[in-house]
Amino acid sequence: LRDPRTLKLLDPACGSMHFGLYAFDLFSEIYREAWAWEQQRGPGSLDGSLAAEQELPPLCQSYPDETAFLRDIPRLIIERNIYGVDIDPRAAQIAALALWLRAQRAWHEEGIKATDRPAIGRGNVVAAIAPPHEPELREQMKAMLDGKDAALFEKTLQLLKNLPQLGVLLRVEQELPALIRQVYGETGGLFKESDAEKWQKAELRLREALVEYAQAAKSTYQSRLFAQDAMELLRMIDLIREKFDVVVMNPPFGALSAGVKDSLGKAYPRSKNDLLAIFVERGLETLHMGGRLGAITSRTCFFLSSYQKWREEVVLDIG
């Protein structure tokens, strides 16, 4: 039994977040059961190994009483448990709003006044948007960074150029280690701790510079939008680098469109016959060991001979 604050669910094609809204109620029950479990068996009775990595004390030590804990559950679910991505920015906005409204309803049902409700952060619903491309603004931003950070910023934008078409199918986490080593020097291995640490520190500097850029006295509306879009891309990278306990989706299906056929065919040779097969393969890649994936799919990929390699090597993992 895990500390529920460490459980993560992803919908990689979330639309308006139907799966997430159902999961919200499920997570609420999980939190309540976790609290009761700790009360009966004491601190440490839940597996807190991941919580310890995040410097989270046991639930019963994080809140003064059950009332305070129950009041915070909706915020915890949105900020820690439910993740979503969509290539349509409007859908991502609707999904984030739907979760926020679900939290408000939960508080309303508990009789918690608006003034007593915890503030909810931005959550983890991300739009797969295009990198900002205004050359002048990009140069202004890079001028605020040192040479290596500026190079990293530019290369990161180039890395994400196909994000609006591919979303989570873009394997950023596989490309990022080589990019880090290219900019900051060779460290060996595939994204070892030294690589990860360099990215985290550089990302923090980029975020601070973007905030400063957006808040500058001479900042224009265009430059603020530029900074906002760049921050969204950093959020997308963070999400793609996560590992999840559950992936649920109703992915698009059918033949690949001309614009992405070549790139996706090379990236997912075992699944290139159908977009839904690619989403399933990608979803399995993002899971923790022992994680679970659920997808609403067509029947096609489960009986046609052209999908045999996909069934054996991806779904059954016997290739």
Side-chain angles (χ1 to χ4, degrees), residues 2-3 5-8 46-58 80 193 196 200 241-243 245 288:
R2 288 249 304 276
D3 185 318
R5 292 171 294 182
T6 66
L7 295 172
K8 295 180 180 179
L46 292 170
D47 181 358
S49 55
L50 289 176
E53 291 179 10
Q54 303 171 36
E55 299 182 350
L56 296 171
R80 291 192 167 273
E193 291 184 5
Q200 291 167 356
R241 290 179 57 230
E242 289 280 1
K243 287 293 185 180
D245 302 284
H288 280 298

Side-chain angles (χ1 to χ4, degrees), residues 162 166 168-175 256 260-273 277-278 281-282 285 314:
N162 292 324
L166 302 181
V168 296
L169 301 182
L170 186 64
R171 288 171 163 147
V172 175
E173 79 284 359
Q174 295 183 14
E175 302 291 337
L256 307 183
V260 298
K261 186 174 183 179
D262 290 341
S263 59
L264 285 180
K266 292 177 181 177
Y268 300 91
R270 299 176 299 181
S271 307
K272 62 183 179 181
N273 292 328
I278 293 176
E281 180 173 350
R282 181 57 170 149
E285 289 178 354
V314 176

